[in-house]
Amino acid sequence: MPEDDPYKVRLNKREEMIDEGENPYGHAFDYTHHVSDMEAQYGHLNDGDITEDEVRVAGRIMSRRVQGKIAFFGIRDATGDMQLFFRIDNLGEKEYARVKELDTGDWIGVSGKAMKTRRGQLSVLVEKCELLCKSLRPLPEKFHGLADKETRYRQRYVDLIANPEVKDVFAKRSAIISAIRHYMEDEGYIEVETPFLHSIMGGANAKPFKTHFNALDRDYFLRIATELPLKRLLVGGFERVFEMGRQFRNEGMDPYHNPEFTTMEAYCAFSDLDGMKKLTQGYVQAAAMAAVGSLKVKFQDHEIDLSGDWPSKSMTELATEYAGEDISFERSEDELKSILKKHGGKVQAEWGKGKLISEIFEAVAEDKLIQPIFVTNHPLEISPLAKKSEDPNYTERFELFICGHEYANAFSELNDPIDQAERFKAQAESKDLEAMGYDADFIRALEYGMPPAGGVGVGVDRLVMLLTDSPSIRDVLLFPHMRDEA
C-alpha cells in the first residue's frame, strides 16, 4: 500500500472490502440509544460495572487506540461523544482484525453491553460491529481542530466534524426562527408564501439577480423583498400576514451581507409605526429568550440590554448630534454635500437633500448606536413606500439599530395610489440602478383600497449574529457564498 498517502490507503481498504464481498457503505442501523440517552440511563454506574443490558449505538469514529488484544474508539453522534471498548475475547480474532482496520472518520454501528471502565469512562463493551460508511478522507488534525476560516465556510461539513460547538449556533438559529414564528402566530398573524420570481423589481432599492423565464421568453428577477405581494393581501382582506424566507440581492459580501439572506416581513391592517415598534420589540425579545434565556446579551465587546421599551430618535436629531452642526432640510444641497465630504462620505450628483441627510447620518451616527434605538423620520427621497409625515420632507418610518447596524425597517404604509404612482415614476426616472421599477399592478391594487397599515421587515441572519455573538454573517449561514476555489 502507498503508506505516504492516507487517501490512497483508505481507497485500497475500500477496494479490498469489495473484493472480499463486503459492502463499505452499509444499510439502515436500528440503534436503541443516542449518546445522551446512554449518559442519562447509565451515567450512575460505578467504576468497573458491566450491565447485562444490550444497547445499540451508531456514530462516527473520532479517535482510536489499539493496544494488543483490546481497543478503545471514541465515537460521536448527533448528541455527543462516548467510548467503545473492544476485546478480542468478545469479538473473536477475525472480527477483531476487521475492527483494527477501521479508520477515524468511518461511520459504524455497534451492539454490546453498557458499562463503565475502571477509570470511570461510560462505554459500550462491543460484541458486534458493523461498518456503515467508509471515510476516504482523514479528519483534520484532532488536536488543532479546524481554524482556517476559508476551509470552515467552504467545507461546512468538515467544520461541523472538527468543531462540534458550531452546531450550537445553528441550533440557536433554529430556536430563534421558531420563536419569531410562534410569537407572530400568537399575535394573530397568518404565515403566507409569495413568489420568488418577480417580473418587476420592487419592495426595496437593490441590485437584483436576473434569470430567464423560458415559458414566457422574458427575464425575471429573484425577489429582493416580499413587501409588495404581502400588501396586496391586505387589499384582498387579510388583516395580519407575515412571511419568513430568502431574499436575493446581487451585491457585495462582507461580515454583514450575503447575496442570499433571510428576512421576516409582516403587515398589519389598521396599525401604524407605533404598532410596528411594539411588534418588533416583542419578537426580538422572544428570540433572545429562546436563544440566550435572557434579555441581556453579549455581542463582541458590548453588553446589550434588550429589556424595557426602546427609545426613538429622528434621523436628523442623531445626525445633528454627532455631526456637531445642524443637519436638516434647512441647509442647502451644497452645504449638505460639504458636510458629507468632511466626514469621509462620497457624493453622487443626482442625490437630493434627503439622500444626503441619510448619508451624513450613516457617516457620523450609525456606529455610535450601540443599545437598541428606533431611528425615525426618514427623508421621503429614500422611503418610496412609506407614508409622509406632517412635514412632507419626511416619512413615517423607523429603522432599528443595535451595535451600529440596522436590524429592522418599518413603515406606516403608504396607501394612497396617486402618491405611490408618483413616487414609482420618480424612482423609475432616476438614474439609480438600484431603484424600484414602476409596478402598475400594485398601483391597481391600491386603487381598490388598502386599509391603513403598519409593516416591518427584520434581517433574521443579523439577529442570529447578535444573539449568538457571531462576528460574521458567514458564521450563522450553514452554506455562505464563497468565491470559486483556485
Side-chain angles (χ1 to χ4, degrees):
M1 286 189 186
E3 296 290 347
D4 59 332
D5 187 336
Y7 180 83
K8 289 183 178 177
V9 170
R10 292 169 181 237
L11 198 60
N12 284 343
K13 286 183 180 182
R14 173 189 178 276
E15 291 170 359
E16 286 177 0
M17 291 181 67
I18 293 172
D19 290 343
E20 292 170 8
E22 295 182 57
N23 183 1
Y25 304 98
H27 301 287
F29 186 82
D30 187 17
Y31 60 85
T32 60
H33 293 74
H34 280 119
V35 167
S36 59
D37 301 327
M38 291 290 295
E39 291 168 348
Q41 189 170 346
Y42 298 107
H44 68 279
L45 293 177
N46 295 318
D47 296 354
D49 283 357
I50 301 178
T51 71
E52 290 302 312
D53 296 356
E54 184 80 18
V55 296
R56 292 166 60 85
V57 297
R60 184 192 290 275
I61 300 172
M62 298 303 296
S63 63
R64 57 190 299 281
R65 181 161 49 95
V66 179
Q67 298 175 326
K69 296 182 178 182
I70 62 172
F72 299 92
F73 286 8
I75 67 160
R76 175 177 297 160
D77 71 5
T79 66
D81 294 14
M82 76 170 300
Q83 179 174 273
L84 304 180
F85 180 29
F86 299 88
R87 290 195 307 211
I88 195 169
D89 294 346
N90 294 84
L91 294 169
E93 288 189 11
K94 184 177 179 182
E95 185 66 16
Y96 186 70
R98 286 181 67 251
V99 165
K100 289 198 297 181
E101 288 300 311
L102 295 171
D103 294 300
T104 55
D106 290 350
W107 288 86
I108 59 173
V110 302
S111 58
K113 299 291 194 296
M115 64 167 291
K116 219 174 217 185
T117 66
R118 290 176 183 174
R119 294 186 177 182
Q121 184 76 44
L122 181 63
S123 306
V124 175
L125 177 59
V126 179
E127 297 174 340
K128 187 177 180 182
C129 177
E130 181 180 339
L131 177 63
L132 303 178
C133 180
K134 182 67 191 169
S135 169
L136 297 182
R137 292 184 181 269
L139 299 180
E141 229 293 329
K142 78 171 185 177
F143 293 111
H144 298 96
L146 184 64
D148 178 64
K149 288 285 184 78
E150 179 81 9
T151 304
R152 288 185 55 208
Y153 296 145
R154 191 180 301 282
Q155 300 177 35
R156 182 66 83 185
Y157 41 88
V158 179
D159 184 27
L160 291 166
I161 297 168
N163 302 307
E165 68 278 3
V166 171
K167 286 175 65 177
D168 295 341
V169 171
F170 294 100
K172 286 182 178 179
R173 181 186 176 106
S174 177
I176 288 165
I177 289 173
S178 179
I180 293 172
R181 181 170 273 122
H182 287 144
Y183 183 87
M184 298 301 294
E185 290 170 346
D186 288 345
E187 291 293 309
Y189 286 77
I190 295 173
E191 185 170 10
V192 297
E193 293 178 310
T194 62
F196 277 76
L197 293 173
H198 290 179
S199 59
I200 298 170
M201 188 175 78
N205 286 3
K207 292 178 183 176
F209 285 93
K210 262 187 196 178
T211 187
H212 192 74
F213 198 143
N214 288 338
L216 299 178
D217 192 24
R218 60 159 296 182
D219 287 342
Y220 265 61
F221 303 104
L222 289 182
R223 71 185 185 188
I224 58 174
T226 51
E227 178 164 346
L228 301 187
L230 290 174
K231 289 201 284 196
R232 285 172 168 90
L233 298 180
L234 299 188
V235 173
F238 280 92
E239 187 169 310
R240 298 184 178 205
V241 293
F242 79 99
E243 181 169 10
M244 190 102 64
R246 289 291 205 190
Q247 315 299 336
F248 306 87
R249 297 185 183 180
N250 197 357
E251 298 171 347
M253 297 185 292
D254 63 33
Y256 276 82
H257 295 88
N258 191 68
E260 181 180 355
F261 59 100
T262 301
T263 65
M264 189 278 289
E265 285 198 48
Y267 294 86
C268 181
F270 316 116
S271 188
D272 60 8
L273 209 61
D274 288 335
M276 293 303 100
K277 287 179 182 178
K278 182 180 177 183
L279 182 72
T280 299
Q281 217 170 255
Y283 63 67
V284 170
Q285 290 172 343
M289 292 304 297
V292 186
S294 170
L295 297 181
K296 306 286 177 67
V297 303
K298 182 180 181 298
F299 182 71
Q300 303 304 289
D301 298 326
H302 301 291
E303 298 289 339
I304 308 301
D305 185 357
L306 298 173
S307 64
D309 290 326
W310 304 338
S312 299
K313 268 193 175 182
S314 74
M315 180 178 284
T316 52
E317 278 183 279
L318 290 163
T320 297
E321 178 182 342
Y322 290 106
E325 58 184 304
D326 178 53
I327 307 296
S328 70
F329 278 87
E330 302 301 314
R331 307 299 294 263
S332 69
E333 276 192 24
D334 287 342
E335 286 175 323
L336 292 172
K337 287 177 180 178
S338 176
I339 294 168
L340 178 55
K341 288 176 182 176
K342 183 169 70 176
H343 291 282
K346 294 182 179 178
V347 174
Q348 294 186 22
E350 67 271 15
W351 288 352
K353 288 185 182 181
K355 178 65 171 173
L356 291 167
I357 288 170
S358 168
E359 291 290 322
I360 293 169
F361 162 77
E362 185 175 327
V364 303
E366 273 193 6
D367 62 353
K368 315 292 194 311
L369 307 178
I370 304 304
Q371 299 302 324
I373 184 171
F374 295 115
V375 178
T376 61
N377 283 21
H378 291 237
L380 178 65
E381 184 180 348
I382 61 166
S383 310
L385 297 168
K387 272 194 172 184
K388 291 177 183 175
S389 299
E390 290 183 8
D391 181 338
N393 289 312
Y394 300 101
T395 57
E396 294 184 19
R397 174 185 177 187
F398 75 68
E399 288 179 319
L400 170 64
F401 277 84
I402 306 171
C403 281
H405 293 281
E406 176 207 340
Y407 283 81
N409 186 21
F411 307 148
S412 289
E413 299 296 337
L414 177 60
N415 58 346
D416 178 345
I418 306 304
D419 188 357
Q420 183 67 83
E422 289 172 354
R423 296 197 211 178
F424 275 168
K425 186 177 179 183
Q427 286 267 305
E429 291 174 351
S430 75
K431 296 178 182 178
D432 188 348
L433 297 177
E434 299 181 6
M436 288 183 278
Y438 188 97
D439 191 334
D441 179 72
F442 183 68
I443 299 301
R444 178 169 57 190
L446 291 184
E447 288 172 344
Y448 279 98
M450 186 182 87
V456 65
V458 60
V460 172
D461 308 300
R462 288 191 181 183
L463 187 57
V464 176
M465 287 172 63
L466 177 72
L467 298 178
T468 59
D469 194 14
S470 298
S472 170
I473 194 171
R474 295 182 178 189
D475 293 321
V476 301
L477 297 174
L478 279 168
F479 302 103
H481 289 286
M482 306 285 291
R483 289 180 175 83
D484 291 343
E485 289 185 77

